[in-house]
Amino acid sequence: MSGIAGLRTFSGAAPAADTLRTMSRTLQHRGPDESSVWVGPDVGLAHARLAVLDTEHSHQPMHSPDGRWVVALDGAIANHASLRTQLDHPFRTHGDTEAVVAGLALEGISFVERLHGQFAIAAHDLRTGVTHLVRDRLGVLPLYYRHVPGGIAFASEVKALLAIGPPVDVDLRSLDAYLATRTVPAPDTLFAGVKKVLPGHRAAITPRGHLEQTCWWTPPESDPEGIWTAGDAIEAVGDGVREAVRAALVADVPVGVHLTGGVDSALVAAEVQQLRRDAPLPSFAVGLDVHPPDQLARARRAAALMGTDHHEVRLRADGFEDLWHRLTWHREAPISDPCDVAQFGLAQDAGRSVRVVLSGEGGDELFGGLPHRRLSRLAAHASLLPSRVRASVERHLGAPFAAAERQRLLGTAPPPERRVVPTPGADAYDRQVRDDVRHLLPDHLLERGDRMWTAGSLAWRPPLLDHRLVELAFRLPTSVRVRSGSTRWLLEEAARPLVPEEVIDQPRTEVPRVPLDTWFRGGLHETAHEWLAAPGSWVSHALDPAAVRALVESPARGVHEDLQLWTLLSLEMWHHAFFGAAPVVPRPRATVVEAAPSTRP
């Protein structure tokens, strides 16, 4: 992964190189190896590089030989080698960026539809004067833009956009979505005027200042019943996973795997071992001190059975408040869960030995296993339920605040244009899967993964979200994906030739919820009182102060009340991180990371 940024002006004046350097500096954690800028007549591009492929060459921004195109790429083009054989181009490097440049020069912007992998691209066409912003199909890599005086700025992360132009405000109209899901659906963010390029879309910025987004990929519809047999589906998924992992291994630097002990990550690790037999595979696991010991033990056992070079980290709560502020700056949104901290700790440990980490992210979303799937049919008719029943369903689906609670906090119903449009699908289960891929993955899990791994200057790749495997999963009817009430059987059966039976057949357990009140040294309610009941609390100012105070002072100590407090505390921390000084918290203590030695046999 790298960082890209740029500025398109409409005044006829070229962007200042210093402005581009300022934007690039905020992205150096994404690209610590090299930083460079290019300035054209009315556009400028900046690139902060994490060298993963063709590390000595492939400098960016890169120009086409005819001088027409200038490109900055974040990500990895998995099929760049095969594309080279199809393009009549005088290649001078061995990297994937030049394949993008060559394709654009020969075929135009539609060439991006031939790219495989995860990527965000800024490409300027000097002949037409159009600047193109392209985001990969699933939205694995981020790309934002913002209108500034006299132009449009764009970047891999929001903080680069905040480094120029006038100060931004909080997008109050997105608060309802945040309070419901702890995320903000694309194209919006919690920053007013800062937008996301939608996954599978490209945005064209014209010389006249218009920005138009075009969808270039959508998942396919389900195939009719009767086309797929169980055996055909298992074989197809197995082949699809193998090719997805092969594509994710395109790198000239050491690669490791995040091993959780579950089937998803074990299958990814097993495929890597089959494809790369030259050395033991580095694997990494992480746990919090409040999690049961068997959470790490599962990963440790899987590593021992598979023979990986295993490393594990256990994080303690000491100094969490201090790290919370730092990671909020990286996350650019309220920290959705304390497990975000664990992911960052894992990145720190893995960064000592590898530059690229593969994970099993996406397996649950595509092939079942998420708890809320059990309520998908009920959720589809939630609007028809009595208000109390509807609130209970919303809580089971993970909503911190039900609709009535959000309306009380905000003092108004959500704006009509911000209400989520139901996702179409063949049935309730299919709709839920499509909604997860449309919202849960890009707006939450992938955004979190990108920020926490790049905070440790690592490239993160989730092979199970290879678009070819995703398309296969969507083509399979629900009757094939779900057998005997199990939503996991298809991936488990595809894994049996490679993954030890003990790993596949172990009882599935949900990742335990972090007992928030325990993990706060002084108690969650004490911390909440210090932050949210203070006169300068932004949350108490922006939301209904009586409702906030009632929650803070409530004697209830239930899991859901802790989740509500966490949601408001994270929002307060986010506001302080980007709009004001950090809140007064207990004296910072050094974060303790316990790293266990390698457990490879």
Side-chain angles (χ1 to χ4, degrees):
M1 297 180 184
S2 299
I4 61 175
L7 178 61
R8 180 63 195 271
T9 63
F10 310 116
S11 61
D18 285 346
T19 298
L20 296 167
R21 293 190 188 98
T22 298
M23 298 175 74
S24 181
R25 278 195 296 271
T26 67
L27 302 174
Q28 292 215 332
H29 55 283
R30 299 184 70 91
D33 298 326
E34 183 180 22
S35 180
S36 55
V37 303
W38 168 82
V39 178
D42 52 7
V43 63
L45 298 178
H47 188 264
R49 186 185 183 201
L50 177 65
V52 169
L53 193 65
D54 191 22
T55 58
E56 295 183 3
H57 306 96
S58 297
H59 308 296
Q60 299 188 51
M62 186 177 289
H63 301 251
S64 61
D66 62 2
R68 176 176 176 177
W69 289 91
V70 187
V71 173
L73 167 70
D74 173 21
I77 307 303
N79 63 332
H80 78 97
S82 64
L83 289 172
R84 285 167 171 265
T85 65
Q86 306 166 31
L87 300 171
D88 182 13
H89 179 84
F91 287 98
R92 297 181 176 87
T93 74
H94 300 289
D96 50 357
T97 305
E98 192 174 12
V100 176
V101 170
L104 293 175
L106 294 169
E107 301 179 16
I109 192 60
S110 63
F111 175 75
V112 299
E113 299 178 22
R114 298 178 60 186
L115 303 179
H116 296 177
Q118 54 190 59
F119 50 85
I121 300 170
H124 182 69
D125 185 343
L126 285 160
R127 183 179 301 174
T128 64
V130 177
T131 303
H132 300 274
L133 309 178
V134 186
R135 195 172 178 201
D136 66 62
R137 296 167 179 83
L138 277 299
V140 177
L141 291 183
L143 191 53
Y144 299 86
Y145 63 90
R146 173 195 178 198
H147 290 266
V148 295
I152 296 177
F154 47 90
S156 298
E157 296 185 5
V158 175
K159 58 181 67 68
L161 303 181
L162 304 183
I164 65 170
V168 300
D169 295 320
V170 178
D171 184 10
L172 299 177
R173 296 165 67 83
S174 290
L175 286 178
D176 180 80
Y178 169 73
L179 294 173
T181 64
R182 290 177 287 165
T183 63
V184 176
D188 299 310
T189 71
L190 280 174
F191 297 92
V194 176
K195 302 292 184 180
K196 307 172 189 175
V197 176
L198 294 167
H201 282 65
R202 62 175 187 260
I205 305 174
T206 69
R208 294 188 176 183
H210 300 297
L211 186 148
E212 300 175 355
Q213 288 205 51
T214 301
C215 178
W216 63 274
W217 180 83
T218 55
E221 298 299 319
S222 298
D223 288 343
E225 295 285 350
I227 291 181
W228 288 92
T229 66
D232 289 343
I234 293 168
E235 183 179 359
V237 169
D239 292 343
V241 171
R242 183 172 305 109
E243 291 309 308
V245 172
R246 189 193 309 276
L249 286 173
V250 175
D252 294 331
V253 295
V255 177
V257 172
H258 174 199
L259 199 61
T260 64
V263 175
D264 304 346
S265 62
L267 178 55
V268 170
E271 292 289 5
V272 174
Q273 289 178 310
Q274 290 291 310
L275 294 166
R276 287 191 171 183
R277 300 174 179 268
D278 52 342
L281 172 67
S283 64
F284 305 90
V286 65
L288 301 178
D289 61 352
V290 290
H291 282 165
D294 64 349
Q295 288 303 120
L296 276 175
R298 284 175 174 247
R300 190 181 310 127
R301 179 58 177 163
L305 291 170
M306 300 174 69
T308 65
D309 182 10
H310 194 58
H311 308 261
E312 60 185 40
V313 176
R314 181 173 286 273
L315 301 178
R316 304 207 322 250
D318 302 49
F320 171 66
E321 291 92 344
D322 186 48
L323 191 60
W324 194 0
H325 187 272
R326 174 186 175 187
L327 294 186
T328 298
W329 183 85
H330 278 290
R331 182 70 170 80
E332 301 181 333
I335 296 294
S336 54
D337 190 280
C339 289
D340 293 14
V341 182
Q343 204 162 29
F344 172 70
L346 184 65
Q348 284 187 309
D349 183 57
R352 298 186 180 101
S353 54
V354 301
R355 299 295 299 274
V356 178
V357 173
L358 310 188
S359 80
E361 201 79 69
D364 274 339
E365 289 69 30
L366 290 178
F367 297 102
L370 294 177
H372 66 260
R373 295 280 167 76
R374 306 185 191 108
L375 295 173
S376 58
R377 186 179 301 275
L378 184 60
H381 303 285
S383 61
L384 305 177
L385 299 173
S387 58
R388 288 189 177 182
V389 178
R390 184 167 64 248
S392 178
V393 171
E394 288 181 304
R395 289 188 175 192
H396 278 87
L397 292 175
F401 296 93
E405 295 171 316
R406 300 197 301 273
Q407 186 160 344
R408 181 188 176 192
L409 282 167
L410 296 168
T412 182
E417 68 274 16
R418 298 298 178 95
R419 292 171 186 161
V420 177
V421 178
T423 302
D427 50 52
Y429 179 87
D430 185 53
R431 284 192 293 273
Q432 186 63 65
V433 174
R434 292 175 186 275
D435 191 66
D436 286 346
V437 171
R438 179 184 176 191
H439 294 300
L440 177 66
L441 276 169
D443 295 322
H444 175 39
L445 300 178
L446 297 179
E447 189 174 287
R448 176 182 71 185
D450 174 84
R451 296 307 193 280
M452 295 301 101
W453 287 105
T454 57
S457 296
L458 284 178
W460 169 64
R461 298 176 183 173
L464 299 185
L465 292 177
D466 182 292
H467 78 276
R468 295 164 298 177
L469 184 60
V470 172
E471 289 173 351
L472 170 63
F474 277 122
R475 286 176 51 208
L476 298 174
T478 299
S479 60
V480 175
R481 279 186 274 180
V482 180
R483 285 293 176 96
S484 302
S486 171
T487 60
R488 297 281 300 172
W489 82 274
L490 185 54
L491 199 64
E492 290 173 352
E493 293 306 309
R496 288 195 186 279
L498 296 176
V499 177
E501 294 282 339
E502 180 179 326
V503 176
I504 297 175
D505 295 331
Q506 64 185 334
R508 178 172 172 81
T509 60
E510 303 297 338
V511 176
R513 185 183 296 274
V514 175
L516 297 171
D517 192 57
T518 301
W519 217 49
F520 276 75
R521 198 172 187 86
L524 180 61
H525 285 260
E526 178 183 334
T527 305
H529 191 274
E530 292 177 358
W531 291 9
L532 300 178
S537 166
W538 178 82
V539 165
S540 292
H541 172 75
L543 305 181
D544 180 76
V548 175
R549 185 169 57 253
L551 179 60
V552 171
E553 297 177 353
S554 170
R557 294 293 186 271
V559 170
H560 189 71
E561 288 74 21
D562 283 348
L563 176 62
Q564 290 181 325
L565 283 178
W566 170 271
T567 301
L568 297 186
L569 280 168
S570 293
L571 182 62
E572 183 78 20
M573 177 61 80
W574 168 81
H575 187 270
H576 277 285
F578 288 95
F579 298 93
V584 176
V585 297
R587 183 172 59 86
R589 296 172 293 274
T591 301
V592 175
V593 178
E594 295 178 339
S598 169
T599 59
R600 185 171 65 90

